[in-house]
Amino acid sequence: MNPPSAVHQLRPASLRAAKETSADIPPYMQEVYYWAYVSPRNVELLDRPIVPRVLLFLNDRRLIRGLLEEISAGQSVLLSSHVYGNLCPYLADRVGPEGTFHVCDVTPIQVAHAQRKLAGRPWAKAWREDAATAGEGHYDVVASFFLMHEIPDGKKRQVLDNLLDRIAPGGKAVLIDYHKPHWAHPVRPILSLVCRLLEPFARSVWDHELSAFASSPNDFTWTKTTLFGGVYQKVVVTRR
Ligand SMILES: C[S@@+](CC[C@H](N)C(=O)[O-])C[C@H]1O[C@@H](n2cnc3c(N)ncnc32)[C@H](O)[C@@H]1O
C-alpha cells in the first residue's frame, strides 16, 4: 500500500522557512502540508468554521453530529488531532465537566489553537504529541476526524494501532474520513484532482478499508456507514 508518489515531489516555496522553524514536525507536515497547517499566517486565516464547511461540501455539521452522537456526558474522549473550526469545543462540551477531553496534535501552532478554544474548560486539555503515541491511558471514545487520509500509509498503521490500543474496555473508536465516492458522484473528479495535487496519502483510504491499516484487524468489529454518496465514511470500532 504505497502512497501515490506524484505529490511527494511537491516542494512548497515556503519549505525552507518551515524547516528552519519546525524541526520536530514530521517531514510530510513540512513538505506537503506546510501551507495548510504550519504557516502561521495561513493557519490564522484557515482556522474558522467556514473552512471545513466548504471543504466538506456543507457536510461538516452532519459529520460532526455523527461523531457527537457516539459520545455521552461524563465520558473520556481522545481526539487524535486538532481540527479547524469548533469541533474541539463541541467535543469538550459534549463530555462536560464530569468527563475528560484530550486532544493531541503534532504541530505546535495547532496545539496553541486547540488550547485557545478549550480555555475555561479544566476537564479539557490539548498537548503536542504524535497521534502514533498520543493519549494518557484508555478512553471511552477515541476519535479521528479526517486525520487518516492526511498521513503516509506507514504512519496510518502506527496511528490506528495506537488509537485502537487506547480504547477502554467497553469503549470504541470512531473514525471519520474520506471514502471512495460512487463513480458517478459529481464531486468525484474534484476530489480526484485534490488527491493528485494536494493530498498524496488520501487515495489509499479510497482503495482500502480503514481496517486494512490496523495490525490486528480481527481483534475488532468494524461497523462502517457512508455519507454523501460514499464520499465520507464513519467507522465505529469495538473490541471483540
Ligand atoms: C485532522 S487533520 C485534517 C482536518 C481537517 N482538514 C480540518 O479542517 O482541520 C489536520 C491536523 O492533523 C495534524 N496532524 C498531522 N499528522 C499528525 C500526527 N501524526 N499526529 C497528530 N496530529 C497530526 C495536523 O497538524 C493538523 O492540525
Side-chain angles (χ1 to χ4, degrees):
M1 274 188 288
N2 292 323
S5 58
V7 194
H8 283 294
Q9 291 150 21
L10 280 182
R11 288 287 186 280
S14 47
L15 177 59
R16 205 168 36 243
K19 281 197 164 146
E20 281 163 13
T21 55
S22 313
D24 296 335
I25 296 173
Y28 66 90
M29 289 303 300
Q30 298 179 337
E31 297 177 13
V32 180
Y33 297 118
Y34 177 83
W35 67 273
Y37 299 119
V38 185
S39 157
R41 191 193 52 186
N42 291 359
V43 171
E44 243 4 276
L45 280 173
L46 293 173
D47 191 3
R48 50 199 79 224
I50 187 72
V51 169
R53 177 132 269 253
V54 171
L55 291 179
L56 297 172
F57 300 101
L58 308 185
N59 288 282
D60 56 323
R61 290 184 188 152
R62 212 170 144 205
L63 289 160
I64 289 171
R65 268 201 309 275
L67 175 53
L68 292 175
E69 73 193 12
E70 300 292 339
I71 297 169
S72 311
Q75 287 191 314
S76 55
V77 173
L78 171 70
L79 178 64
S80 60
S81 62
H82 178 238
V83 174
Y84 285 155
N86 291 325
L87 182 66
C88 286
Y90 287 159
L91 290 171
D93 291 343
R94 183 72 168 187
V95 299
E98 306 300 317
T100 48
F101 173 63
H102 289 171
V103 53
C104 294
D105 199 288
V106 80
T107 310
I109 193 169
Q110 298 291 334
V111 175
H113 277 235
Q115 286 170 338
R116 195 181 66 206
K117 292 174 193 176
L118 295 171
R121 297 173 178 88
W123 65 94
K125 174 164 108 165
W127 71 92
R128 182 168 177 272
E129 190 169 359
D130 194 302
T133 56
E136 291 175 345
H138 296 99
Y139 297 84
D140 298 316
V141 181
V142 176
S144 169
F145 196 85
F146 289 95
L147 177 63
M148 292 297 287
H149 77 280
E150 292 209 329
I151 55 182
D153 284 357
K155 177 69 82 174
K156 284 182 178 67
R157 181 170 300 278
Q158 294 170 1
V159 166
L160 188 52
D161 283 348
N162 177 52
L163 297 182
L164 297 179
D165 278 350
R166 296 281 171 197
I167 302 174
K172 59 186 150 186
V174 184
L175 313 172
I176 294 183
D177 223 300
Y178 286 103
H179 181 267
K180 189 174 202 163
H182 185 274
W183 67 268
H185 199 297
V187 311
R188 185 173 163 137
I190 302 170
L191 289 174
S192 287
L193 191 65
V194 170
C195 286
R196 199 139 46 83
L197 297 180
L198 298 173
E199 299 265 26
F201 315 120
R203 266 313 281 241
S204 63
V205 307
W206 284 26
D207 297 336
H208 303 278
E209 298 292 340
L210 291 179
S211 57
F213 297 101
S215 295
S216 307
N218 295 332
D219 293 350
F220 300 88
T221 299
W222 305 75
T223 307
K224 178 175 89 174
T225 47
T226 60
L227 297 85
F228 194 49
V231 174
Y232 306 112
Q233 61 184 315
K234 167 176 144 181
V235 181
V236 177
V237 192
T238 52
R239 213 179 285 282
R240 282 201 174 141

